[in-house]
Amino acid sequence: MKRILAHKIEIYPNNKAITYFVMCFGVARFAYNWALQICKKSLADKEKVPSGYDLSKLLNSIKREQYPWMYGVSKWVVQKSLYNLAEAFQRFFKKTSRFPKFKKRGVCRDSFYTGVGCFTVSGNHIKLPNIGWIRMSQGLRFPGKLLSVVISRTAGRFFASIQVEVDDTYVYPHACESQASVGVDLGVKDLVVLSDGQKFSNPKVLRYYERKLKRLQRQLSREQKGSKNRLKAKGILSRLHFRIRNIRRDYIHKLTSYLVENFLLIGIEDLNIAGMMKNHKLAKSISDASFCEIKRQLVYKSLLSGSRVEIVGRFFPSSKQCSVCGFRNENLTLSDRTWCCKDCGVVHDRDINAARNILKVAQGHWETKNACGEGVRLPRLRARGQSLMKQEGGISC
């Protein structure tokens, strides 16, 4: 069984390569918009939306006469854009995404695709069609078969996301050698609280740069549309947004790497982020914390390090339940950071207590000793008729 991994690396193209990249971005954007116009006409005529193969076949029949400049780029640039639109319509018909929109220069994400056999990686260099060798900031980390590469541009910097097919038995060099287990509780004040009492503070990067963001956004709004000063102000603002994202992701990467390298079993709660974002008093803080990104990194890093992640159901009252005796405090509010159990009298820190409950559920059972000294397995807890263990495909390894 094979596993596909992607490694995103910054590249340093020269002026000739940058000119070619910009042309590829424009061709990919034009092909997507052309195909979207065809699909919208089919829907208006109450016809079936053409597939990616049909769109590619139609474009190839008219490309030489109407769009000969498309031959200046690799065939993958156009073909992948058409198949991306077909996949977007499939997600729309399944009601998992919105209706596809036209891509606008300067607003949409600039990227293009190159398929297998059209590029080569050697050390910290990558060879692309029509360009040649380009230096990368680092070498490829994963050994395996090269599948594809996506070249993208963010805040004036270029990146190559390389897909590699590796064996399912591949383990990252920083493998987990511990047998410890931990429960993870996510929050706004403390980003991560562990069941052993460790707390990792929330960097609150967006809050830190909020005043500077407002100033740059006001400056951008004052510039005349279409002027070079507006283009410069937009570049400065985009670079600040890029810096905020990098600081946040760097912190989360270091945090999740620490967890998967030091704990064999990691329990984490399945939070309803969309529902939490409806609270307008906490929406900005929740989005700045990036709970989904923490969960995503834990899941894929656990597969590479040999550890295991268990997802606890979102209806489990981890904060309200006493981790010692199991008493449930129904009167607990969000402002109560500590509370005393009325049954056993233990004073709980709200977040540490929640992490300990998550750990117990993630382990699957509580073990105790009976009169004969034998281990007794207690049944799994249930909350509102739902199972607390929500397994996701490919998480447990």
Side-chain angles (χ1 to χ4, degrees):
M1 186 176 180
K2 300 294 184 179
R3 182 187 303 164
I4 298 178
L5 303 175
H7 190 192
K8 191 173 183 179
I9 308 172
E10 185 175 2
I11 58 177
Y12 306 105
N14 54 23
N15 291 334
K16 179 182 177 182
I18 292 176
T19 303
Y20 176 76
F21 288 168
V22 172
M23 183 169 61
C24 290
F25 297 151
V27 171
R29 185 170 57 247
F30 177 85
Y32 187 93
N33 292 339
W34 174 86
L36 179 56
Q37 189 174 5
I38 298 296
C39 293
K40 292 183 71 174
K41 185 177 182 302
S42 300
L43 290 175
D45 297 338
K46 296 183 179 180
E47 298 177 355
K48 183 180 179 181
V49 175
S51 63
Y53 175 78
D54 296 333
L55 290 171
S56 179
K57 186 177 180 179
L58 177 61
L59 182 58
N60 289 335
S61 63
I62 64 174
K63 183 167 61 173
R64 187 172 297 277
E65 291 77 14
Q66 299 185 18
Y67 314 114
W69 40 267
M70 282 189 175
Y71 287 97
V73 301
S74 174
K75 65 174 184 178
W76 292 103
V77 176
V78 178
Q79 185 174 350
K80 187 61 177 178
S81 298
L82 303 180
Y83 279 89
N84 286 341
L85 178 64
E87 293 176 1
F89 269 105
Q90 290 180 3
R91 293 192 297 269
F92 169 72
F93 291 137
K94 293 179 181 178
K95 298 182 180 181
T96 58
S97 67
R98 63 184 183 182
F99 190 85
K101 294 183 178 181
F102 289 102
K103 292 187 176 183
K104 185 178 179 180
R105 184 178 62 180
V107 177
C108 68
R109 176 174 175 266
D110 291 331
S111 65
F112 68 91
Y113 174 94
T114 299
V116 61
C118 294
F119 71 100
T120 307
V121 176
S122 177
N124 60 340
H125 287 78
I126 182 172
K127 186 178 181 181
L128 297 174
N130 301 337
I131 289 297
W133 293 99
I134 299 176
R135 186 169 64 91
M136 301 189 298
S137 61
Q138 58 178 303
L140 189 61
R141 294 181 184 178
F142 307 121
K145 179 183 177 182
L146 301 178
L147 296 182
S148 63
V149 59
V150 175
I151 306 297
S152 60
R153 178 173 60 178
T154 305
R157 299 164 67 176
F158 294 87
F159 298 87
S161 179
I162 306 172
Q163 277 194 339
V164 184
E165 185 182 57
V166 300
D167 293 333
D168 190 47
T169 58
Y170 171 76
V171 178
Y172 200 65
H174 302 287
C176 177
E177 299 180 355
S178 173
Q179 298 295 321
S181 302
V182 70
V184 177
D185 180 67
L186 303 178
V188 174
K189 181 181 178 181
D190 295 309
L191 183 60
V192 168
V193 178
L194 305 184
S195 56
D196 58 5
Q198 296 186 68
K199 293 185 177 182
F200 298 87
S201 61
N202 188 354
K204 300 180 181 179
V205 189
L206 182 61
R207 294 283 185 181
Y208 181 81
Y209 285 100
E210 194 169 15
R211 290 186 61 185
K212 190 173 182 180
L213 275 174
K214 289 181 179 180
R215 178 172 58 83
L216 293 178
Q217 287 168 345
R218 286 196 299 266
Q219 181 179 349
L220 176 63
S221 65
R222 295 189 183 110
E223 301 295 345
Q224 185 178 0
K225 292 186 177 180
S227 64
K228 291 186 177 181
N229 286 336
R230 183 178 179 87
L231 187 62
K232 292 179 183 178
K234 185 177 180 180
I236 296 174
L237 180 61
S238 64
R239 285 192 292 270
L240 181 59
H241 277 292
F242 185 63
R243 176 178 175 81
I244 293 172
R245 190 186 74 173
N246 285 345
I247 294 175
R248 182 190 297 119
R249 286 200 173 186
D250 177 72
Y251 185 84
I252 295 176
H253 269 294
K254 292 176 180 177
L255 176 59
T256 53
S257 296
Y258 168 78
L259 293 176
V260 298
E261 290 175 8
N262 292 276
F263 298 99
L264 183 64
L265 174 64
I266 302 171
I268 188 171
E269 198 169 10
D270 180 29
L271 299 175
N272 182 15
I273 306 298
M276 297 168 65
M277 292 288 289
K278 293 180 181 179
N279 185 347
H280 298 292
K281 295 182 179 179
L282 297 175
K284 183 184 293 186
S285 299
I286 292 173
S287 61
D288 191 19
S290 298
F291 294 153
C292 291
E293 179 66 14
I294 295 175
K295 177 183 174 183
R296 185 190 71 86
Q297 291 188 16
L298 281 177
V299 169
Y300 88 80
K301 288 184 179 181
S302 64
L303 295 175
L304 299 178
S305 64
S307 57
R308 181 174 138 209
V309 173
E310 294 289 351
I311 310 298
V312 177
R314 63 180 56 176
F315 297 108
F316 174 57
S318 57
S319 299
K320 295 182 178 182
Q321 184 165 293
C322 176
S323 58
V324 177
C325 64
F327 172 78
R328 186 174 299 181
N329 183 7
E330 298 292 350
N331 299 323
L332 188 68
T333 61
L334 190 61
S335 60
D336 298 330
R337 308 315 303 173
T338 59
W339 60 281
C340 180
C341 179
K342 295 182 180 180
D343 194 6
C344 62
V346 177
V347 178
H348 293 290
D349 180 282
R350 177 193 182 98
D351 299 329
I352 297 178
N353 176 69
R356 289 173 178 171
N357 283 324
I358 292 172
L359 173 61
K360 289 182 177 180
V361 178
Q363 290 174 334
H365 64 275
W366 294 349
E367 286 191 357
T368 183
K369 297 289 183 179
N370 59 12
C372 301
E374 297 177 352
V376 178
R377 176 171 293 185
L378 301 183
R380 291 186 180 182
L381 300 178
R382 300 282 175 174
R384 301 183 186 179
Q386 296 199 13
S387 173
L388 300 180
M389 301 308 300
K390 179 185 176 183
Q391 297 287 351
E392 293 189 357
I395 290 181
S396 300
C397 56

